[in-house]
Amino acid sequence: MSVDEIIEYLRTLPKGTVVRVLVMDKASGHLWSSIVENVVDGDVWCREDVGTLIEDKDKKPTPENIDRVLAAVPGGLSAFGDWLTQEGWDILRDIYDDAIDALR
């Protein structure tokens, strides 16, 4: 689908529809941006981030090494996403519980 076709499709959606747009470089697989309405923090993790972790351990962040590390996650990337979600909820609770408790 072309960018023009996507824009035309987006124009057909009802007003107030929440849309998430991801822009990715096909060649590198790098996610350039994520635009999400009404999101507190839309941070996105990518292969480049895994490469940085590899580099931090004084190893080479080659595409093959990144693939090996990603393959080592028990349950695959969906499990990684589940862990991030759970950690996010725990952090939100730690940060905002006192403010929520103070509400009437």
Side-chain angles (χ1 to χ4, degrees):
M1 186 176 260
S2 74
V3 171
D4 290 336
E5 290 171 322
I6 293 168
I7 291 171
E8 285 306 312
Y9 170 74
L10 292 173
R11 287 186 177 139
T12 68
L13 298 174
K15 187 174 178 96
T17 299
V18 176
V19 176
R20 180 176 186 177
V21 179
L22 302 174
V23 180
M24 182 177 287
D25 177 2
K26 282 184 180 180
S28 70
H30 179 74
L31 189 64
W32 291 103
S33 66
S34 176
I35 304 162
V36 185
E37 283 188 49
N38 300 321
V39 171
V40 175
D41 181 0
D43 205 7
V44 176
W45 295 86
C46 63
R47 291 176 57 85
E48 193 173 274
D49 297 319
V50 175
T52 299
L53 291 174
I54 293 169
E55 244 177 352
D56 289 349
K57 296 272 188 173
D58 295 322
K59 311 273 184 190
K60 293 186 191 263
T62 64
E64 295 79 16
N65 283 345
I66 292 171
D67 289 341
R68 285 186 195 115
V69 170
L70 289 173
V73 174
L77 289 177
S78 63
F80 176 73
D82 292 344
W83 293 333
L84 285 176
T85 300
Q86 184 56 52
E87 289 295 319
W89 278 110
D90 292 345
I91 291 167
L92 281 172
R93 285 184 187 99
D94 288 346
I95 293 171
Y96 295 112
D97 269 355
D98 290 342
I100 293 168
D101 289 343
L103 296 172
R104 292 181 183 225

